[in-house]
Amino acid sequence: MKQHSKVTILGTEYTIYDEVSVSDDVRITDCDGCIDYTTKEILVANMVQTERTWKELVHYKKRTIRHEITHAILFESGLDHNTDWARNEEVVDFIAIQFPKLLDIFKSIEVESF
């Protein structure tokens, strides 16, 4: 297990750990990534290259981190407590997977920031 980075999400600092195995932390059991809102940690599993090429594996790890960050954004904004959709894995996956495409669209017409 290694520390990947720290990120501030809506004013709260989270630590992202990469290459986490079940022997490092049982919270990663049966998943590629998880988030612990109490400790403000995002864990990304130690993914072994099998049928995937290295490029696909790197892409998938990034997508997994975006997915867990999306969970954190929804949690820190209070939506996780008050709605069902904010905990819905399909909605979170949609945001995480489509974000790079959305950002490219916004950049192409120069509306990505204020």
Side-chain angles (χ1 to χ4, degrees):
M1 178 167 95
K2 68 177 186 174
Q3 184 174 318
H4 178 276
S5 59
K6 291 187 181 260
V7 62
T8 301
I9 299 172
L10 302 180
T12 301
E13 187 176 84
Y14 280 76
T15 303
I16 302 171
Y17 294 98
D18 194 8
E19 300 178 16
V20 181
S21 68
V22 175
S23 62
D24 294 325
D25 196 314
V26 296
R27 294 175 293 179
I28 202 72
T29 302
D30 296 328
C31 60
D32 293 333
C34 68
I35 185 165
D36 187 327
Y37 305 113
T38 61
T39 61
K40 308 302 182 193
E41 294 174 318
I42 293 172
L43 308 176
V44 179
N46 186 17
M47 299 178 196
V48 179
Q49 184 177 348
T50 54
E51 300 86 38
R52 290 186 172 129
T53 66
W54 178 247
K55 184 177 179 182
E56 289 170 330
L57 191 58
V58 169
H59 173 76
Y60 184 71
K61 282 183 179 185
K62 288 179 180 181
R63 189 174 100 183
T64 301
I65 292 170
R66 284 195 311 271
H67 177 98
E68 300 307 329
I69 288 172
T70 302
H71 274 300
I73 291 167
L74 295 171
F75 177 84
E76 293 300 332
S77 67
L79 292 169
D80 181 82
H81 300 295
N82 301 310
T83 67
D84 290 330
W85 69 263
R87 288 183 303 275
N88 183 295
E89 290 296 317
E90 291 171 345
V91 171
V92 172
D93 241 5
F94 172 80
I95 295 168
I97 292 167
Q98 298 305 324
F99 178 79
K101 298 171 196 169
L102 295 169
L103 184 58
D104 285 346
I105 292 166
F106 297 149
K107 283 182 175 180
S108 77
I109 58 171
E110 299 178 1
V111 296
E112 73 276 14
S113 64
F114 298 113

